[in-house]
Amino acid sequence: MYRKISAIDFEFFIGQKVTEVNTEKNAPLGMTFERATSIIECPWRLKVVKEIVVGYSDCLYSPKRFSHKDVEKVLLGKKIINILLFEEIADLIIEFEGNTYLEVFHESAYFEGWQLQGDNGFFLFSLPGGSYTWTESS
């Protein structure tokens, strides 16, 4: 299956560092960047090079061993170097320095999955069924 990459311009986010990761138990994975935020309420995985360090299922099914604190340890202070959004399924990949990737998989026909918001008026979120919508202030 061919996956088309969205033409949305993510330049505003490039170079921003992760300043906070929500480590509260039973809460969605949330992150704050220097001038943006992200909330993830669907499956995700955090990879360094080719290895999965922690994922949604780990935190959900083995919370004594894995938590969002593992995400915080890896991502805190890291800069975003690229963002990819796949058109037909609203999957998102945020690439950080150090060959580190946060991959987000929208998987619901009924619920929204994730959002990415910048303090410049940019707002992108995945919709039920795997599509997405976005706005950007001029």
Side-chain angles (χ1 to χ4, degrees):
M1 175 172 116
Y2 175 73
R3 294 174 40 154
K4 183 179 177 189
I5 297 173
S6 167
I8 293 175
D9 182 1
F10 291 102
E11 187 63 34
F12 174 80
F13 299 93
I14 306 305
Q16 290 193 41
K17 291 181 184 178
V18 176
T19 59
E20 183 179 353
V21 175
N22 179 10
T23 58
E24 186 178 330
K25 285 186 178 184
N26 302 317
L29 178 59
M31 283 180 283
T32 304
F33 307 100
E34 292 170 307
R35 298 185 53 210
T37 59
S38 179
I39 298 174
I40 302 166
E41 301 178 272
C42 62
W44 53 268
R45 68 182 173 212
L46 181 61
K47 289 177 29 181
V48 177
V49 187
K50 295 180 180 180
E51 181 181 343
I52 298 171
V53 176
V54 62
Y56 173 81
S57 295
D58 299 322
C59 295
L60 187 64
Y61 299 115
S62 191
K64 290 182 180 181
R65 183 162 181 211
F66 296 99
S67 74
H68 294 168
K69 289 180 183 180
D70 296 300
V71 176
E72 180 183 52
K73 286 176 193 170
V74 173
L75 290 184
L76 199 61
K78 286 214 185 296
K79 289 182 185 178
I80 297 171
I81 62 170
N82 196 17
I83 298 178
L84 300 172
L85 172 65
F86 294 95
E87 288 270 333
E88 57 283 318
I89 49 177
D91 286 351
L92 184 74
I93 298 174
I94 303 175
E95 181 181 357
F96 297 90
E97 60 190 345
N99 290 316
T100 303
Y101 305 87
L102 179 63
E103 300 178 349
V104 181
F105 311 99
H106 188 103
E107 46 73 68
S108 176
Y110 187 69
F111 296 102
E112 295 172 355
W114 54 263
Q115 62 180 266
L116 179 64
Q117 185 172 4
D119 69 5
N120 65 341
F122 183 101
F123 187 65
L124 168 67
F125 62 98
S126 66
L127 297 168
S131 61
Y132 65 89
T133 189
W134 70 287
T135 59
E136 185 173 25
S137 296
S138 21

